[in-house]
Amino acid sequence: MDEALIRSLTPGVIAVLVRRGADFAAAEDAVQEALLQAVRVWPADPPEDAKGWLVTVAWRRFLDATRADSARRHREVRVDEEPAAGPARAVDDTLQLYFLCAHPSLTPASAVALTLRAVGGLTTRQIAQAYLVPEATMAQRISRAKRTVSGVRFDRPGDVATVLRVLYLVFNEGYSGDVDLAAEAIRLTRQLAARIDHPEVSGLLALMLLHHARRAARTAPDGSLVPLAEQDRGRWDTASIAEGIGILTAALARDRLGEYQAQAAVAALHADAQTAEETDWPQIVEWYDELARLTDSPVVRLNRAVAVGEADGPRAGLAALAALDASLPRHTAVAAYLHERDGDPVTAARLYAEAAHRATDLAERDHLTRQAARLNALRER
């Protein structure tokens, strides 16, 4: 089965069941059963209308489960609302489902985790890594969220901030791996920007466009990572950069700064530099100061330490890094980079190797391993 097709159809099918009266947990279970049936049937007998087929089968699975549950409680179940077989409406329900999952009965963190798992298609491990928590902790959080919304009618959609957070994390996951996932996040954010006049929606769209513009230059032909300073800027998508900067400029002019606008401003400064040497690092540090004020995020402070190292020298960067928790992901890799720039290749090589051992992403691990090997080779000459 085509995984991309399944990813695109699943949210819409769940949304159809929710609109017809299923609670979210029951709808998700029914759709999963329909997908299992599709795995068995489609290879030999593919349907003409994949979504219509999934809606019909999933609704029947939901009704079967409801009948069984009601029989145990001696209640009669109404079954006359079963949708007729045939083509389903060509309606994109994904963004609506994002809002429905951000239900007021859930905390923002739980709503984000549930939506990433049920709608975004991310694994529990990927979500845990995004939140910097153990996988078991995130699994419990998602399970609690499902229990909380079990039996709740999804007639009170959540707030924009929660939906933006979900879209941001889906894009980040796609940007580091699955390109289709990143493109889907951009598509949904465009839809949201067309519906809601909000500077942070614009800020997030600008941020996505500016980062996605560098996608083609982020990896070498062999699949290895190419650091920002070494990327071929001629391969950057100038149309996306221009669009992103235009959207960001209009958002900043409204003087309602938020974290996505500030992040987009950093990305715009990178995109605006013709060469790595022309990057306006002092201004980037100022934007990271704004971001730290807005979010108090340790990841922001880690990125700020890198920027300080570029603007004021590696020792200043190391001093900023020393104030952060050494267990923070990529802390060791940043320390290795700053020590190398400070003329200490021995310490840098050791730290690169240590960071490679801790890395969870294969491409990042390979890159850090090569950095350590490069410095070790220089020492042996």
Side-chain angles (χ1 to χ4, degrees):
M1 292 173 59
D2 188 334
E3 292 185 7
L5 175 62
I6 292 300
R7 182 184 296 125
S8 66
L9 292 178
T10 300
V13 177
I14 294 175
V16 171
L17 268 63
V18 169
R19 285 203 305 270
R20 285 187 165 90
D23 66 66
F24 183 84
E28 185 183 22
D29 289 342
V31 172
Q32 291 302 318
E33 290 190 28
L35 293 176
L36 290 175
Q37 180 72 4
V39 170
R40 294 189 290 268
V41 173
W42 286 10
D45 186 21
E48 293 184 3
D49 176 26
K51 181 177 179 181
W53 190 97
L54 286 172
V55 167
T56 300
V57 173
W59 183 253
R60 287 171 178 164
R61 293 291 185 273
F62 166 71
L63 290 178
D64 288 343
T66 303
R67 290 189 191 105
D69 184 61
S70 298
R72 284 191 298 269
R73 296 192 305 268
H74 307 288
R75 293 189 308 180
E76 184 178 358
V77 176
R78 296 178 61 188
V79 296
D80 58 352
E81 295 182 1
E82 178 179 339
R89 289 188 305 150
V91 176
D92 185 356
D93 301 295
T94 309
L95 189 59
Q96 178 190 7
L97 195 56
Y98 272 60
F99 273 96
L100 292 175
C101 286
H103 197 271
S105 63
L106 296 172
T107 65
S110 295
V112 169
L114 178 62
T115 312
L116 289 173
R117 183 70 186 92
V119 189
L122 274 64
T123 66
T124 303
R125 175 173 295 182
Q126 289 171 323
I127 302 168
Q129 290 172 350
Y131 271 89
L132 308 180
V133 300
E135 183 176 354
T137 301
M138 184 53 65
Q140 292 175 355
R141 183 180 299 177
I142 294 172
S143 295
R144 284 196 300 269
K146 288 182 177 181
R147 288 196 298 270
T148 299
V149 300
S150 180
V152 171
R153 290 299 299 268
F154 283 75
D155 55 358
R156 292 187 299 152
D159 66 350
V160 175
T162 301
V163 173
L164 287 178
R165 182 64 179 168
V166 175
L167 290 169
Y168 173 74
L169 291 174
V170 169
F171 175 82
N172 281 350
E173 187 60 39
Y175 185 66
S176 63
D178 189 333
V179 173
D180 290 338
L181 199 58
E184 172 70 356
I186 292 175
R187 184 184 70 83
L188 292 173
T189 307
R190 283 191 187 280
Q191 286 187 7
L192 188 58
R195 298 182 189 182
I196 300 176
D197 182 20
H198 193 293
E200 273 293 80
V201 177
S202 298
L204 180 58
L205 179 57
L207 175 63
M208 290 179 175
L209 290 170
L210 290 165
H211 277 300
H212 207 54
R214 303 200 299 258
R215 176 177 59 83
R218 290 186 70 246
T219 55
D222 62 0
S224 60
L225 289 180
V226 180
L228 177 60
E230 300 173 18
Q231 289 178 13
D232 178 1
R233 300 186 178 217
R235 299 183 65 196
W236 289 1
D237 183 347
T238 55
S240 292
I241 291 173
E243 182 185 6
I245 290 177
I247 292 171
L248 174 63
T249 301
L252 290 175
R254 301 177 66 175
D255 198 24
R256 291 169 56 192
L257 183 64
E259 62 172 303
Y260 300 119
Q261 294 170 73
Q263 287 191 57
V266 172
L269 288 168
H270 284 299
D272 196 45
Q274 296 298 309
T275 65
E277 293 73 23
E278 295 177 51
T279 305
D280 190 345
W281 287 108
Q283 193 172 354
I284 288 177
V285 172
E286 292 180 5
W287 277 113
Y288 275 127
D289 287 338
E290 289 287 349
L291 262 174
R293 179 182 61 80
L294 289 166
T295 67
D296 195 30
S297 164
V299 175
V300 167
R301 296 188 185 279
L302 183 69
N303 291 333
R304 180 186 179 279
V306 176
V308 169
E310 299 290 352
D312 301 326
R315 296 202 175 180
L318 286 168
L321 188 65
L324 303 178
D325 185 349
S327 66
L328 191 65
R330 295 190 173 89
H331 184 285
T332 307
V334 170
Y337 172 74
L338 292 172
H339 276 289
E340 180 182 359
R341 288 207 52 225
D342 194 37
D344 186 357
V346 175
T347 301
R350 175 178 60 79
L351 291 172
Y352 275 131
E354 183 180 333
H357 179 71
R358 295 180 179 180
T360 56
D361 179 78
L362 181 59
E364 182 181 357
R365 184 186 309 155
D366 290 344
H367 171 71
L368 293 168
T369 300
R370 283 193 296 271
Q371 294 294 85
R374 173 179 57 81
L375 292 179
N376 286 327
L378 290 174
R379 285 172 50 202
E380 295 171 1
R381 289 181 183 176

